[in-house]
Every structure is written in structure tokens, then in C-alpha cells.
Amino acid sequence: MGSGHELAATALDTLPITVAIIDDEGKILLTNRSWREFATAEDDEHVGANYLAAAVTADDEYAEQAVAGIEAVLAGDRDSFSMEYPCHSPDEKRWFLMRVTRFSHNGQRLASLVHLEITERKLAELAAEEHAQQLREERQTVEHVLERVDGLVREVTDAAVSAETRAEIEREVCQRLAATDPYVLAWIGRVDVTNRRLSPHEWASDDDVPLEDDELVLGADDAHPAVQAFERGDTQVIEDVTAHDDADRLWPTGAGDHFQSVAALPLTYGDVTYGVLVVFAAEPDAFDERELLVLESLSGTIATAMNALEVRRMLTTEAVVSVEVAIEDPSLFVTALSETFDATVSYRGPTEDDDGTPLVVLHVDRVLEDVAVETAGIGHDVTPLSTTDDGTLLEAAITDGIVTALSEHGGVIRELAAADGIADLAVDFPDGRSARSAYDFLERRYDQVELLSYHERDEPAQTPHDVTARLESSLTDRQLQALRKAYYANYFEWPRDISGEELAESMDISRSTFHQHLRAAQRKVLAELLE
């Protein structure tokens, strides 16, 4: 080919790509240095060898594709052909781009074969595709989670809002949760404040997952997560019950066979906790941050719905919550007076003096000779109203606020009596929330408070609160004061414990003025009852 051929061959040797020239039969006419070096390393063909014949013998889909493309170019069916193919060694993975281009020289049909290594680009493409696939899978996972969460939130919210009773809320919520993967059991527990126990009230499970058998004791060491959630007021999670030290004690039926993670959430609205929601999952680490946010939102929705039902019930119910407690604290005013007089002191009812100072009417079950002397130093302004064979009637300015505080919680005192250092208190509340809030106040305020009973009882549709509200709006302050003093001092009993003159003196008015106020008040009370 002369000097031109030598120049072309020399130029090809400088290229960092493998190049070969073949004739229309596939025989190699010319190669560059990169081709020869690669061919030596791969024990491949040199000048004079038939490239197509060698490729045909290779049992490889890429070789078949290459032969078909080269033959099409040499036959004139196409001007060029290119393909990418792998050429991996035991030590590394490599990819190449082959490009075949037809040309003529001295009337002979020839083709150039160029092999360019594209390993870096291919690895980058594979990495990008792998990342894209990962993103697609993550997006699908997120979409699935969002779809599940959206459905769960919608169903639980609908169940909570549309329920007519608290038990219905609890039952529907548990069923919705237990039917949602990966949850297998859900229960809602209530607290019995009388015996300090927390126990499941409504529950639902998937695949017969067993429920805890025993009541859970409040205040116990190493307590169940439900107890911890109730007492601490925040979410408690066990990520893997099989690795938990107390799993066999908390779930003796074999927790790991049925569920592997647990979350307990308090159902709290304002300062009232209605119970605890406990959710079990079939797999460990099911309650990640995202899952807990959803459950905490749901627990808030459940508590809000329970509060709405309680408020509605409070407005329409014909029942009240009755609470009876025993208080041991020398600072309680009836207890202090009982210790001072060495007698039983009973609360009759509230009243007030001319300037609005709260007063209470009290009965002492013995005759007091000198009230001023016997009450000196106890911190209460006590005034005798009357004395009978049954004891002494007193009027005292209260300072510790138990009567006012219970009233602010919606409570009506049915009984408050102290003897031997113990005060027995019975109060009616319009709803459970008020009762629990008042009980918390008593526990914070006094040394020892023992809950004796907590139950609902029937009450007429028109409560004393309704009548009192209407009467207080129609009675003057003096009329109401005269009526209260007369009633709590047993003026309407026979024989009377106190005279009208004594009551008038306690109000610092004349006897005739007292009776004028009392008759006016009685007329309005009778009008309320009879008209």
C-alpha cells in the first residue's frame, strides 16, 4: 500500500482505541497497537485471521449480534453498525462499544472495526439505574404507606366521630387497627380508680392473637408499657419483645409467637386521661417515628371524640358520678375543728356574709360551752348560731377552699363529716371527667386520700343545679342568705334547732326583717316548684 498505508498505520497506532480493518470476507487486513495489545492479552486474532469466522464459533448472543451487524454492513445493507457488549475478566467487569463502518479502497469493499472501552460510563449508568430503581421502590413503599395511613386515619376518625357511646369508639377503633398491617392486636384499657387497676375494655385481634389475661396494677415496678403510658402520660414502645427481659412475665402465653413489637399511647384530652391504646405488630421495629406520629395523632382524635361524647352526655344525662373518699389531713377545716372540740363535726352547707365572704354551716355533736375559747388558735373565724340537746350549730369562715374547689369542678357535696382525725367526703359530679379532675386535686392537696367508692347513680332529669341556677337569678342576696341559713341550721325542722331571732342576729338584722326575707324566698321557691 506504500507510504500512505504506513502513515495511516502509524497514525492508528497513536489512537487509544482498538481499530482493525477487514475485507468483505471478514479477514483482518490491518490492526493498530491497541488492538494487538488487547488481542494478545485476550489470545485473540491478528492480521490474516478471519474475524467473522472466529466470532461465529463463539457461543454468545453478543457475538451473534456482532456477526449479523458486520455482515449487513459488508453486504451494503447498511452503512454502519454499533453495539455495546460486556467483556468481563475474572478480576474486573468491562464493557465496550463496537462500531462498524463501511468504506471502499481501490475498488475493494472494506470495513473498519472500532472497539471503545465504556466501562466507566456503563458503571455510572448502572449505578444511576440502580439508584432510580431504589427511588422507585422507595416511592412505591411511601405511596403504599401513605395509602395505608390515609385509609387508617380516615377509618379511625370516622369510627370515633360517628360512634354513639365510648364503648363503641373503643370497639370500632380496635377493629380498624387490628385489620391493618402490620398490626395484629389492639386493645383500649380503662382504669378502675377504686382498686388502681388498668385492664382491657375493648379489643380486636388478627389470627387469634391472645389478649393479656390479668389486670395491670398501677404503680408496679417494671410495669407493662400500658401502665407506664398511663402514669407517665407519653408513648411507650417495646421494639422487640423477644429481646425484652420481662417478656415472659408480661406475656406468659409466648409473645414472640404472636407479635414482636408493642406501642402503648395514653388517650389524653386536656388534663384528663381516658385510658390507654395498646397496639401490637407482627414484626420487630414496626413503630418507627413516622408510624408513631400517625398513632399519636389517632390517639388524640380518639380522646377528643371521647371528650365530645362525655360533654354531650353531661348535657343530656339523667345520672351523676358519685365519689366517696376518706381524707386524713389535720389541715382540713372540719378535721381541725373535730380535733379541737373532740367531737364529730358535720358540714351542713355553704352561705356567705354581707360582704360576700364564703361561710359554711357546721354541726358539732356536743354542746360547746364557750366557742370563742375552744376555737382560739385554730385559724378559723367561728361563730355559734344555736345550741340544742343534739349539739351546737356553728357558722365558720372557710380558708382552705375545699368547698369552693369542689364547686369549681362541678361537685355538689352530699356529706362531709370528720371524727377521730378522718374526714368522710361524698360528692356528686356531672361527669367522669369532673370527678377525676377533682380527685386529682384532693390527692395533691391533702396528705392521705383513700378512694372508697366511684360509681354512677340515677338522678332526675331536672337536677338541683338547674333549680338553683333559676332561683339564684330571682332571689336577692339577702333572701338567698336567709333561706340558706334557715335550711342548713334546721330552722324548718320541728322542734327547731334554732330560732328566727338567733338567725336574724347572725345576719345582724332585726327579727322582722329576717322573716320578711325568708317569706319572700319561700314564695319564690314554691313558685318554682308549683308553677
Side-chain angles (χ1 to χ4, degrees), residues 265-326:
L265 306 95
L267 300 177
T268 303
Y269 182 89
D271 59 351
V272 177
T273 300
Y274 290 97
V276 180
L277 169 65
V278 187
V279 185
F280 300 77
E283 57 196 42
D285 303 315
F287 301 102
D288 58 16
E289 182 177 357
R290 178 175 54 196
E291 200 77 11
L292 288 178
L293 285 175
V294 173
L295 290 176
E296 287 170 352
S297 175
L298 290 179
S299 66
T301 299
I302 297 165
T304 300
M306 289 179 174
N307 174 261
L309 280 180
E310 194 167 70
V311 171
R312 185 170 64 190
R313 176 180 175 277
M314 180 180 65
L315 297 176
T316 60
T317 189
E318 295 185 2
V320 295
V321 176
S322 294
V323 178
E324 296 181 8
V325 298

Side-chain angles (χ1 to χ4, degrees), residues 223-484:
H224 190 286
V227 173
Q228 296 181 23
F230 179 82
E231 294 184 329
R232 299 176 184 179
D234 56 15
T235 301
Q236 300 293 314
V237 176
I238 297 179
E239 297 290 1
D240 187 354
V241 297
T242 60
H244 194 270
D245 294 340
D246 293 324
D248 292 338
R249 179 179 61 81
L250 295 175
W251 299 286
T253 54
D257 297 334
H258 305 284
F259 53 84
Q260 296 192 31
S261 53
V262 183
L265 306 95
L267 300 177
T268 303
Y269 182 89
D271 59 351
V272 177
T273 300
Y274 290 97
V276 180
L277 169 65
V278 187
V279 185
F280 300 77
E283 57 196 42
D285 303 315
F287 301 102
D288 58 16
E289 182 177 357
R290 178 175 54 196
E291 200 77 11
L292 288 178
L293 285 175
V294 173
L295 290 176
E296 287 170 352
S297 175
L298 290 179
S299 66
T301 299
I302 297 165
T304 300
M306 289 179 174
N307 174 261
L309 280 180
E310 194 167 70
V311 171
R312 185 170 64 190
R313 176 180 175 277
M314 180 180 65
L315 297 176
T316 60
T317 189
E318 295 185 2
V320 295
V321 176
S322 294
V323 178
E324 296 181 8
V325 298
I327 302 174
E328 185 173 357
D329 190 318
S331 68
L332 181 61
F333 75 94
V334 290
T335 304
L337 291 176
S338 173
E339 292 294 312
T340 299
F341 301 142
D342 191 22
T344 298
V345 176
S346 304
Y347 167 83
R348 289 287 182 85
T351 182
E352 60 184 31
D353 62 12
D354 295 339
D355 61 5
T357 300
L359 304 173
V360 293
V361 178
L362 304 170
H363 181 266
V364 182
D365 70 346
R366 76 173 181 85
V367 176
L368 302 179
E369 300 296 337
D370 190 336
V371 174
V373 172
E374 295 195 54
T375 60
I378 68 170
H380 296 280
D381 184 9
V382 180
T383 303
L385 293 178
S386 67
T387 300
T388 66
D389 293 340
D390 294 333
T392 305
L393 202 63
L394 303 176
E395 192 174 61
I398 56 175
T399 57
D400 61 358
I402 186 173
V403 175
T404 302
L406 291 175
S407 177
E408 289 175 350
H409 284 83
V412 176
I413 298 176
R414 288 190 291 111
E415 178 187 356
L416 176 56
D420 301 323
I422 304 294
D424 293 317
L425 171 67
V427 193
D428 289 342
F429 296 95
D431 57 86
R433 177 185 178 184
S434 300
R436 289 189 293 271
S437 180
Y439 182 77
D440 289 341
F441 159 75
L442 294 175
E443 280 199 316
R444 292 193 304 269
R445 173 64 179 80
Y446 299 106
D447 292 344
Q448 295 185 44
V449 178
E450 180 184 358
L451 183 63
L452 302 178
S453 70
Y454 180 102
H455 63 275
E456 291 186 1
R457 64 180 181 83
D458 292 334
E459 185 178 81
Q462 179 169 272
T463 68
H465 291 287
D466 302 323
V467 178
T468 301
R470 287 194 296 270
L471 283 174
E472 287 183 349
S473 65
S474 64
L475 295 172
T476 66
D477 292 342
R478 278 301 206 179
Q479 290 169 356
L480 182 59
Q481 185 180 14
L483 186 63
R484 281 177 169 170

Side-chain angles (χ1 to χ4, degrees), residues 90-107:
D91 301 326
E92 61 179 337
K93 293 184 178 295
R94 295 179 300 181
W95 284 266
F96 290 85
L97 168 66
M98 181 183 76
R99 184 171 182 81
V100 183
T101 305
R102 186 181 71 249
F103 68 97
S104 298
H105 180 72
N106 293 333

